[in-house]
Amino acid sequence: MNRGLVIATALLMTSCSYGPTIRPPEPAYVRVALSADSTWHRILEMYTDLEFPIETVDRASWFIRSGLLAIPELLGADVADCGGGWLGKRADNEYVRARATILLRPGRDSTGIRVVAGFSTSGFAECVSRGKLERGLLRMITAGRALPWDSVIR
């Protein structure tokens, strides 16, 4: 009897949750009137100033990926749509995990910068980016300095 109640409760809880409701944005892209070397150094300085962990650096391919960043759910809802948990609410201790990938495309007198961010929750739900983190990182790279974290995701 108790086993049936547990199964029924689990089914009810999962049926009251839902996944992301938005489509992923196009990758954030901008061209800057800087050499690839100057742009690369700006990105490394930005990651250092923001204390982003770096997972992969491949200068030959002009590719850099951050390690996982933990964003409290309150801010996480601003940068990603992770759907909803029990009655549309996720656990209070849940956070959004983010990973930012930056790819440079050197040109003759400018450099293209493409930023893509991936998100999931600490409960391993897949999320869809709202494009705010990507646009914020591009603003910092083009500004040549780190900006306050809250202005990055607004």
Side-chain angles (χ1 to χ4, degrees):
M1 181 82 144
N2 284 341
R3 183 175 177 188
L5 181 61
V6 169
I7 292 171
T9 302
L11 288 172
L12 178 63
M13 289 178 71
T14 57
S15 68
C16 293
S17 64
Y18 57 90
T21 59
I22 64 172
R23 292 181 182 260
E26 291 294 319
Y29 183 84
V30 69
R31 287 203 77 78
V32 293
L34 294 170
S35 70
D37 284 327
S38 294
T39 307
W40 184 258
H41 290 293
R42 280 188 178 191
I43 293 167
L44 292 178
E45 287 173 5
M46 176 189 69
Y47 272 40
T48 300
D49 291 346
L50 293 173
E51 297 180 359
F52 276 15
I54 297 176
E55 179 181 280
T56 306
V57 175
D58 184 352
R59 180 146 182 193
S61 298
W62 300 105
F63 175 89
I64 186 167
R65 175 180 288 151
S66 75
L68 287 174
L69 308 166
I71 302 173
E73 186 190 16
L74 186 62
L75 292 175
D78 284 344
V79 294
D81 178 357
C82 298
W86 171 242
L87 298 177
K89 183 172 179 356
R90 296 219 172 263
D92 288 336
N93 63 345
E94 201 163 30
Y95 58 89
V96 173
R97 298 179 307 178
R99 184 184 316 268
T101 301
I102 300 175
L103 179 64
L104 301 184
R105 286 293 172 230
R108 188 177 322 205
D109 56 356
S110 64
T111 302
I113 308 167
R114 179 180 177 186
V115 180
V116 178
F119 297 91
S120 62
T121 67
S122 55
F124 300 101
E126 288 302 313
C127 306
V128 174
S129 175
R130 296 184 186 280
K132 292 182 178 183
L133 179 61
E134 297 93 318
R135 290 188 305 269
L137 294 176
L138 282 177
R139 279 195 307 273
M140 280 198 276
I141 296 167
T142 56
R145 61 187 169 82
L147 301 171
W149 179 249
D150 60 341
S151 72
V152 172
I153 60 173
R154 301 283 176 212

